[in-house]
Amino acid sequence: MEKLSLKDIISKICKEEIFEAVSSDYSFTIKIDSYVPYACAAIHDGHQFRKELWDNCMHTEYERWYEEDPETKNMIKSHPIVIAGCDSRFEYDLNRMPEEAVFETAWGKQLWRKPLSQTMKDKSLRKHTNFYKVVHTLVQKLESKFGFCTVYDMHSYNWKRWDREVPTWNLGASNVDNVRFGDSIEDWRQSLSEITFPNDIKSTSKINDTFQGHGYFLKYITQNFKNTLVLATEIAKVYCDESDGIIYPEVVRTVEKELISRIPEHALRVYSEFKR
């Protein structure tokens, strides 16, 4: 992996170069092993939280970790194209529009002891802007090269906070064209439901059950690119103990191994259906 400027990352994508890099401000990573008609993203994987914000933040490190999506990058790291956030969503949320990306409150609790200055906000929002410049370049390249692509937008969610039974996997599909892509979404839901987990973890999969897919990442790509399907894919945090922060590596590895075959197989079916 190398450290690259925004300009250099965009240049490499435009030239269809193979590379793996962290952005020069360490806010995201991107890996392209080969150019294929699908990409994977883990935009909430990050936990970094810049030091000048520490004393002003009212949320503990555990509270931040609880609302992040740890290990989601590891679940997709084997795929040819992977982009992932490094910073905590408590600094700026890549799944919110820029105007809402820097929180004032987070999950019902005041976030900052003193309101952030505009300078502090702008420092975070520049990273948000730069990330989307790369996303735009990447999707534009894949669409122009292949005619169609699929983006697997990986997230996790805290299933124990629900007072009802919730699925192991949830697909948020309210903001994609369900008339056009409904069969492909159902195909992906079915594939996820077939995963066998260790530790007697049940594998169920539903569409728009716990979340409906209202994230900015999905909306941005969907609104700017007409031949890209974004699949907002949420796994319940069955791969960790939400209450004490322990990760179950055998479960994470199981998900990764299952997705090694399931994602490209699904992406190929989608591509065969919609390529121009």
Side-chain angles (χ1 to χ4, degrees):
M1 181 178 288
E2 54 188 331
K3 181 173 73 171
L4 294 175
S5 68
L6 176 69
K7 181 180 178 181
D8 287 340
I9 290 172
I10 289 175
S11 175
K12 284 182 177 292
I13 295 171
C14 290
K15 295 175 182 177
E16 294 186 25
E17 294 184 17
I18 303 306
F19 69 102
E20 183 175 8
V22 62
S23 62
S24 56
D25 59 6
Y26 294 97
S27 62
F28 68 91
T29 61
I30 182 169
K31 178 195 74 166
I32 303 181
D33 290 335
S34 62
Y35 285 81
V36 294
Y38 78 92
C40 297
I43 64 174
H44 281 162
D45 183 76
H47 187 60
Q48 291 178 168
F49 195 65
R50 69 177 197 261
K51 191 172 183 179
E52 63 183 337
L53 298 173
W54 291 2
D55 291 343
N56 195 31
C57 182
M58 297 180 69
H59 286 241
T60 65
E61 183 179 9
Y62 166 75
E63 287 175 316
R64 297 196 301 271
W65 176 88
Y66 183 82
E67 301 295 352
E68 295 159 354
D69 297 348
E71 301 297 326
T72 48
K73 180 182 177 181
N74 281 332
M75 294 174 187
I76 55 173
K77 66 181 181 182
S78 302
H79 295 276
I81 303 176
V82 178
I83 187 167
C86 298
D87 293 325
S88 173
R89 65 193 303 190
F90 281 78
E91 182 186 343
Y92 59 97
D93 193 330
L94 289 169
N95 217 22
R96 304 281 181 97
M97 65 179 67
E99 296 80 5
E100 300 174 357
V102 177
F103 299 158
E104 294 181 4
T105 61
W107 288 271
K109 179 179 176 181
Q110 188 71 27
L111 182 54
W112 309 110
R113 290 184 170 86
K114 297 180 180 179
L116 294 182
S117 68
Q118 193 59 49
T119 299
M120 296 284 269
K121 291 180 181 178
D122 288 345
K123 187 179 292 189
S124 296
L125 290 174
R126 277 195 297 273
K127 294 190 279 188
H128 186 283
T129 298
N130 290 343
F131 178 84
Y132 275 95
K133 288 180 179 179
V134 172
V135 167
H136 194 101
T137 303
L138 175 62
V139 177
Q140 189 172 57
K141 168 58 66 177
L142 297 180
E143 265 205 12
S144 64
K145 183 175 177 64
F146 297 105
F148 191 91
C149 72
T150 306
V151 177
Y152 296 85
D153 176 22
M154 290 294 299
H155 295 269
S156 64
Y157 76 94
N158 301 293
W159 65 277
K160 290 184 178 179
R161 70 179 1 150
W162 294 78
D163 60 2
R164 62 174 174 87
E165 185 174 354
V166 292
T168 315
W169 297 95
N170 178 82
L171 303 184
S174 293
N175 286 287
V176 298
D177 187 341
N178 282 264
V179 174
R180 185 182 182 193
F181 298 125
D183 289 345
S184 297
I185 295 167
E186 170 57 26
D187 185 20
W188 184 227
R189 185 209 63 77
Q190 178 62 36
S191 180
L192 293 172
S193 71
E194 296 167 357
I195 292 175
T196 301
F197 287 92
N199 307 336
D200 296 319
I201 295 171
K202 186 188 299 185
S203 186
T204 56
S205 182
K206 294 186 178 181
I207 299 170
N208 297 331
D209 183 87
T210 48
F211 299 94
Q212 287 71 48
H214 294 313
Y216 180 70
F217 182 76
L218 180 150
K219 288 182 177 180
Y220 178 89
I221 296 174
T222 299
Q223 290 168 5
N224 283 281
F225 299 95
K226 301 309 177 187
N227 288 301
T228 297
L229 169 61
V230 183
L231 292 167
T233 304
E234 303 237 10
I235 182 172
K237 288 183 179 175
V238 295
Y239 62 87
C240 69
D241 188 319
E242 296 176 30
S243 63
D244 60 17
I246 293 176
I247 299 291
Y248 306 145
E250 77 280 17
V251 181
V252 175
R253 177 60 177 151
T254 294
V255 175
E256 182 202 0
K257 288 175 66 176
E258 289 281 349
L259 295 184
I260 283 174
S261 59
R262 293 181 185 276
I263 286 179
E265 287 170 359
H266 180 263
L268 179 60
R269 291 193 295 271
V270 177
Y271 179 63
S272 298
E273 176 73 18
F274 295 104
K275 67 182 178 181
R276 291 180 297 185

